[in-house]
């Protein structure tokens, strides 16, 4: 018996969006998101017998969690794509630019998935200037499933729009590999934390820190966007990907060290979140640098032994006096 292929909604096409292009990269990028929300909603209605309240719930999850960041990861796909196409003296048509922005939104959906899940694990309060999704009274721990839905929508976007593209399997495997790498980084981040009242700084060193930076942040925040742009441009030379990876990982380390600093000293009104790294007993650039300056790995400089004890007594605690 021949299996019947499940009906799928039509791919998003570029002409309508290109015809109304504003010339502003971010505005054009947001128009593609609006198209995707319609497409994904139509896809769910076409392929699954979901009640109206469920469709509205999914719509809220997408519009609340995905498009409110700086969008630099998503926007970078088109910029990298244009750079490589320019290097090969190839034009970038509106249709091709639209494809690059579709891939950019795959990165932003991945970012949303990570952040919704990470906020639950960290018990965070705000994200991007608004309450964390799980903090909404009507959401709560349903956000665990919502984060998984956001991740799977990536592969729905790819299937709906790139199934016949020669690099389709490369897009899928690249995002899967980076997701796996990021989850390993999240594991390192979480397992490096000590239980409250049991602070042991032995694992708080730059080797541990940079490994977390590399796997948890650098791959998905920088390398993924560049690699997607390269793959869309038809780049197959593995050496070029190796060079791009090396550069992106170095940038990612700097970015995360800066993020650690902002978590401690940044204004929540500016950075869009209330930092909780110290309360969560996390291995960050701030505490590792402090321990290094105190000579912790050598047993502590004589004049800094007291400082180390004060740090041990206060780090990883949420009381205001600490």
């Amino acid at each position: 018996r021949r299996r019947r292929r499940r009906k799928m909604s039509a791919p998003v096409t570029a002409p309508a969006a290109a015809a109304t292009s504003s010339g502003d990269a971010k505005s054009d990028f947001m128009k593609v998101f609006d198209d995707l929300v319609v497409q994904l909603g139509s896809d769910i209605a076409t392929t699954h017998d979901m009640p109206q309240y469920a469709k509205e719930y999914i719509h809220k999850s997408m519009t609340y969690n995905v498009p409110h960041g700086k969008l630099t990861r998503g926007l970078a796909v088109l910029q990298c794509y244009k750079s490589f196409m320019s290097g090969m003296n190839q034009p970038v048509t509106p249709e091709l630019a639209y494809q690059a922005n579709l891939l950019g939104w795959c990165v932003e959906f991945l970012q949303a998935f990570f952040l919704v899940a990470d906020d639950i694990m960290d018990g965070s309060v705000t994200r991007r200037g608004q309450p964390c999704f799980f903090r909404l009274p009507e959401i709560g721990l349903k956000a665990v499933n919502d984060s998984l839905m956001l991740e799977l929508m990536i592969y729905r976007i790819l299937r709906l729009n790139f199934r016949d593209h020669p690099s389709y399997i490369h897009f899928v495997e690249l995002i899967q590999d980076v997701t796996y790498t990021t989850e390993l980084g999240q594991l390192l981040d979480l397992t490096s934390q000590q239980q409250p009242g049991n602070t042991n700084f032995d694992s708080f060193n730059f080797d541990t820190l940079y490994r977390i930076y590399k796997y948890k942040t650098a791959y998905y925040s920088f390398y993924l966007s560049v690699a997607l742009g390269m793959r869309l441009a038809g780049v197959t030379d593995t050496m070029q990907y190796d060079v791009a990876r090396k550069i992106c990982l170095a940038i990612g380390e700097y970015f995360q060290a800066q993020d650690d600093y902002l978590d401690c000293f940044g204004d929540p009104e500016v950075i869009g979140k209330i930092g909780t790294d110290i309360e969560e007993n996390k291995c960050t650039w701030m505490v590792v640098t402090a321990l290094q300056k105190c000579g912790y790995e050598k047993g502590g400089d004589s004049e800094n032994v007291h400082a180390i004890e004060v740090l041990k007594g206060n780090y990883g605690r949420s009381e205001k006096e600490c």
Side-chain angles (χ1 to χ4, degrees):
R1 295 177 58 187
R2 296 180 61 187
R3 294 182 62 185
R4 295 178 60 190
R5 178 177 289 183
R6 176 174 285 180
K7 184 178 180 181
M8 300 180 69
S9 58
V12 173
T13 53
T20 58
S21 175
S22 66
D24 177 73
K26 191 168 185 178
S27 296
D28 292 342
F29 191 55
M30 286 303 305
K31 290 177 184 177
V32 179
F33 176 74
D34 293 338
D35 289 345
L36 279 175
V37 170
V38 173
Q39 185 193 42
L40 291 168
S42 175
D43 178 57
I44 291 171
T46 302
T47 60
H48 294 79
D49 182 23
M50 300 292 283
Q52 184 61 30
Y53 75 85
K55 298 173 188 175
E56 293 173 356
Y57 185 97
I58 294 170
H59 181 275
K60 178 176 182 176
S61 177
M62 286 191 288
T63 56
Y64 192 93
N65 292 304
V66 179
H68 300 296
K70 296 182 290 294
L71 306 179
T72 52
R73 295 169 179 83
L75 288 165
V77 176
L78 176 58
Q79 295 307 311
C80 291
Y81 174 62
K82 285 182 175 179
S83 295
F84 277 90
M85 291 292 279
S86 175
M88 296 183 288
N89 294 317
Q90 295 293 319
V92 176
T93 65
E95 290 78 14
L96 291 173
Y98 197 86
Q99 286 187 343
N101 278 333
L102 286 171
L103 292 174
W105 280 112
C106 289
V107 181
E108 291 297 334
F109 268 82
L110 184 65
Q111 163 81 336
F113 154 56
F114 287 146
L115 295 185
V116 171
D118 191 63
D119 286 342
I120 297 170
M121 287 182 271
D122 290 348
S124 300
V125 179
T126 59
R127 171 71 68 178
R128 295 171 168 174
Q130 60 186 4
C132 295
F133 196 51
F134 83 100
R135 293 287 185 184
L136 299 181
E138 69 275 23
I139 303 298
L141 291 181
K142 293 194 292 292
V144 174
N145 188 67
D146 299 330
S147 70
L148 298 175
M149 285 289 297
L150 290 169
E151 180 194 15
L152 292 174
M153 284 176 181
I154 297 167
Y155 302 102
R156 207 66 187 170
I157 293 169
L158 291 175
R159 187 175 178 185
L160 290 169
N161 299 288
F162 293 95
R163 194 171 191 178
D164 296 326
H165 193 282
S167 291
Y168 172 63
I169 190 63
H170 296 291
F171 296 147
V172 171
E173 290 183 348
L174 176 60
I175 294 174
Q176 286 178 336
D177 288 346
V178 169
T179 302
Y180 181 63
T181 297
T182 306
E183 294 296 356
L184 290 174
Q186 177 72 347
L187 181 147
L188 292 174
D189 186 34
L190 293 172
T191 55
S192 70
Q193 297 173 226
Q194 306 293 325
Q195 294 298 315
N198 184 33
T199 300
N200 183 339
F201 291 138
D202 290 349
S203 64
F204 283 20
N205 54 63
F206 280 108
D207 284 343
T208 299
L209 185 67
Y210 287 138
R211 192 174 293 112
I212 294 171
Y213 283 1
K214 178 171 67 173
Y215 293 139
K216 182 181 177 182
T217 300
Y219 270 92
Y220 96 89
S221 291
F222 295 94
Y223 176 66
L224 178 58
S225 298
V226 174
L228 284 171
M230 292 171 68
R231 184 60 68 178
L232 185 63
V235 177
T236 58
D237 185 350
T238 56
M239 290 185 62
Q240 292 191 48
Y241 285 94
D242 290 341
V243 171
R245 184 184 301 108
K246 183 177 180 180
I247 295 171
C248 289
L249 295 186
I251 296 173
E253 288 181 0
Y254 174 79
F255 168 85
Q256 190 56 51
Q258 184 182 61
D259 190 71
D260 286 352
Y261 179 88
L262 292 173
D263 187 273
C264 184
F265 294 110
D267 183 348
E269 294 296 324
V270 176
I271 66 175
K273 64 179 181 178
I274 298 173
T276 58
D277 285 352
I278 292 176
E279 292 92 330
E280 292 165 20
N281 216 346
K282 284 196 171 185
C283 178
T284 70
W285 183 86
M286 303 294 292
V287 69
V288 171
T289 300
L291 291 169
Q292 182 190 57
K293 289 184 177 295
C294 290
Y296 179 78
E297 290 187 349
K298 300 177 182 179
D301 299 334
S302 57
E303 65 269 26
N304 290 318
V305 171
H306 176 67
I308 293 174
E309 291 304 314
V310 171
L311 188 58
K312 281 185 175 181
N314 290 273
Y315 200 76
R317 297 176 62 178
S318 58
E319 297 92 337
K320 290 184 177 181
E321 58 269 22
C322 295

